[in-house]
Amino acid sequence: MTGLHAETVVGILVVAAGAGLMALGAARQGCAVRPLAPARAWAAAQREQQRVLRRAAGMAIASARGAAGAGEPAIVTVDDVLRLADEQFAHPNADPHLAAAALRDAYERGACARDCVTDAYG
């Protein structure tokens, strides 16, 4: 019996490396990382800020309802939403207009007209 030739060993290594790369590609199907694009990063930041403001508006309404006395309306301000966005979600520079829009949305969705007062419409 003769030993393996150097060319055969190199061929086997090339085939093994190719098979390994194909297996890795199959395992990461759909997980390709795209390079950072400024427009995409800005859009993601806007979606994140809107999500945070929606959550902060809901929290502000719940907090105001809890703090209101019996028979008193819950007073919810845009500043409450901005404060919660800063304290709870570390968004200190949230846009007040977006916070007002989120508060209006939460106000209308949560049937707050019967027991809440807000400055989001001003």
Side-chain angles (χ1 to χ4, degrees):
M1 272 198 99
T2 62
L4 291 175
H5 295 290
E7 294 170 345
T8 306
V9 172
V10 170
I12 291 172
L13 289 176
V14 168
V15 169
L21 287 173
M22 287 179 13
L24 182 64
R28 291 185 46 108
Q29 181 181 5
C31 296
V33 178
R34 298 187 326 205
L36 180 65
R40 197 168 54 251
W42 179 83
Q46 289 298 106
R47 284 191 306 272
E48 170 71 9
Q49 185 177 42
Q50 289 171 351
R51 183 187 65 80
V52 162
L53 289 173
R54 281 193 305 269
R55 289 183 66 193
M59 291 173 65
I61 290 172
S63 174
R65 281 180 169 165
E72 293 181 357
I75 300 171
V76 188
T77 65
V78 174
D79 288 335
D80 294 337
V81 175
L82 292 172
R83 180 181 50 78
L84 283 170
D86 180 22
E87 291 175 1
Q88 298 293 321
F89 304 105
H91 279 262
N93 299 322
D95 183 11
H97 298 293
L98 290 177
L103 183 54
R104 284 191 299 269
D105 184 49
Y107 184 84
E108 293 164 1
R109 227 178 340 113
C112 289
R114 59 188 161 97
D115 65 343
C116 296
V117 177
T118 183
D119 65 348
Y121 291 96

